[in-house]
Amino acid sequence: MTRAARALWFTSSGKSEIRSEPVSGPAPGEVLVRTLWSGVSRGTETLVGQGGVPESQYQAMRAPFQRGDFPFPVKYGYLSVGVVEEGPPALLGRPVFCLYPHQTHYVVPEDAVTPVPDAVPPERAVLAGTVETAVNALWDAKPLVGDRIAVVGGGMVGCSVAAVLARFPGARVQLVDADPARSTVADALGVGFASPEDAADGLDLVVHASATDAGLETSLRLLRPEGTVVELSWYGSRRVGLPLGEFFHSRRLTVRSSQVGTVARPDRSYAERMALALDLLSDPRFDALITGDSDFDDLPDVLPKLAGGEIPALCHRVGYGRAHDR
């Protein structure tokens, strides 16, 4: 059986449209998912939607189930939660998370979906892909009990890292951002907040996620001797100014890269990392990362407003109830 699904495609700079496309019934080893919610990763999807992915990064930036090629037209996204309508009995009727673009129905291999735990509301599970990035970053960072830690950059990824660290035993955690409005999110997560000028220094660990030269410089400045910055920002092909004079050598500082494309622990798999991210989302404090909602049908109008800051957002959540009525 083939049904008509509806999917969001980025078509030109700042423009997108909803297209109809056929979805066949699942073969053995596959599942048919009806989407309940998806999430817009504002930074990445703004870059894609404006045609800003550098040619040298076309392959690295591909989403797992992307269709089309950069710059346009391209079907892009990776935060989808739905319910399995056809597939093996163990998954039938279960809410699942998948790294799939914004689309009403889709068929994927059954090992591409992760069941959402009973303790996690499906509408919160759209954060799983970003919390997975945070888990990987902290596996790279290896924080210790009692560490003094800052997360520089209060976007979606930075706030996800701060949310995971908020439950780390004995740690003193502060979120550092130039936007004072991020203090509200920090309060909801249960971590401290500071502007770059007022942030506490002498830190053991800084996770940098602002994707700015100034943020990286702040991160280095806040470290104690022998301290480490875990660099979680993605710069594409842009060159970054890094202050390697002054105190960098005298304090024996370390800059450590982290990237979600590789599992940071050899004793864990991709599936185990995603399952852990979903387990962590049982904590209701993560709701602070969802800062807006809209309907799937409205996405072509909503995305430019997200990109331009007219709609402020960390994770913007998309509902599909009305889309299924069409």
Side-chain angles (χ1 to χ4, degrees):
M1 174 182 174
T2 299
R3 71 175 68 199
R6 301 169 64 233
L8 182 88
W9 284 75
F10 296 97
T11 54
S12 61
S13 182
K15 302 291 185 182
S16 61
E17 64 184 33
I18 293 174
R19 296 179 176 181
S20 180
E21 53 187 83
V23 173
S24 300
E30 294 182 329
V31 292
L32 170 67
V33 178
R34 173 173 57 87
T35 309
L36 301 173
W37 308 92
S38 63
V40 178
S41 181
R42 179 174 175 263
T44 303
E45 293 189 50
T46 294
L47 184 72
V48 171
Q50 294 177 342
V53 178
E55 188 172 351
S56 64
Q57 299 299 306
Y58 279 1
Q59 188 58 41
M61 280 286 292
R62 286 193 69 86
F65 293 100
Q66 173 181 324
R67 283 190 59 201
D69 297 309
F70 299 122
F72 304 108
V74 63
K75 183 172 73 174
Y76 194 88
Y78 48 82
L79 301 173
S80 180
V81 176
V83 61
V84 175
E85 291 199 323
E86 296 181 35
L91 290 174
L92 200 60
R94 289 289 305 273
V96 294
F97 176 85
C98 185
L99 297 167
Y100 205 87
H102 308 282
Q103 184 166 314
T104 57
H105 300 82
Y106 51 87
V107 170
V108 293
E110 61 182 274
D111 61 4
V113 301
T114 304
V116 176
D118 292 340
V120 179
E123 59 269 29
R124 187 188 300 153
V126 295
L127 296 167
T130 309
V131 175
E132 180 191 24
T133 300
V135 167
N136 206 63
L138 294 175
W139 282 347
D140 278 324
K142 299 178 176 62
L144 299 175
V145 173
D147 269 359
R148 296 159 295 179
I149 305 170
V151 180
V152 175
M156 188 175 171
V157 171
C159 285
S160 294
V161 174
V164 176
L165 283 170
R167 53 201 293 175
F168 197 81
R172 187 191 76 190
V173 182
Q174 61 178 341
L175 179 67
V176 179
D177 197 275
D179 182 0
R182 289 289 185 257
S183 63
T184 303
V185 180
D187 287 344
L189 297 179
V191 301
F193 177 82
S195 67
E197 298 78 19
D198 298 328
D201 58 10
L203 304 181
D204 304 291
L205 171 67
V206 177
V207 179
H208 179 233
S210 81
T212 66
D213 294 24
L216 184 52
E217 183 171 356
T218 295
S219 300
L220 288 168
R221 175 175 56 82
L222 297 180
L223 289 174
R224 62 160 174 80
E226 306 279 353
T228 297
V229 169
V230 172
E231 178 54 270
L232 196 51
S233 302
W234 188 82
Y235 299 94
S237 60
R238 178 165 63 87
R239 292 183 177 272
V240 178
L242 184 62
L244 297 183
E246 302 178 13
F247 51 78
F248 181 77
H249 288 288
S250 62
R251 293 188 194 171
R252 295 171 54 83
L253 303 181
T254 298
V255 178
R256 170 79 162 86
S257 68
S258 181
Q259 203 275 337
V260 73
T262 299
V263 179
R265 290 184 55 165
D267 59 339
R268 297 290 191 273
S269 66
Y270 286 98
E272 288 173 314
R273 186 177 66 183
M274 181 61 77
L276 173 59
L278 280 160
D279 283 340
L280 291 172
L281 283 168
S282 63
D283 189 337
R285 77 182 74 197
F286 283 97
D287 287 334
L289 275 61
I290 298 172
T291 51
D293 290 273
S294 64
D295 292 320
F296 171 74
D297 289 323
D298 298 330
L299 266 181
D301 295 324
V302 168
L303 288 172
K305 296 176 183 178
L306 288 170
E310 185 178 341
I311 300 176
L314 292 174
C315 178
H316 188 84
R317 186 169 54 198
V318 181
Y320 286 71
R322 200 174 76 187
H324 291 301
D325 294 335
R326 290 175 65 99

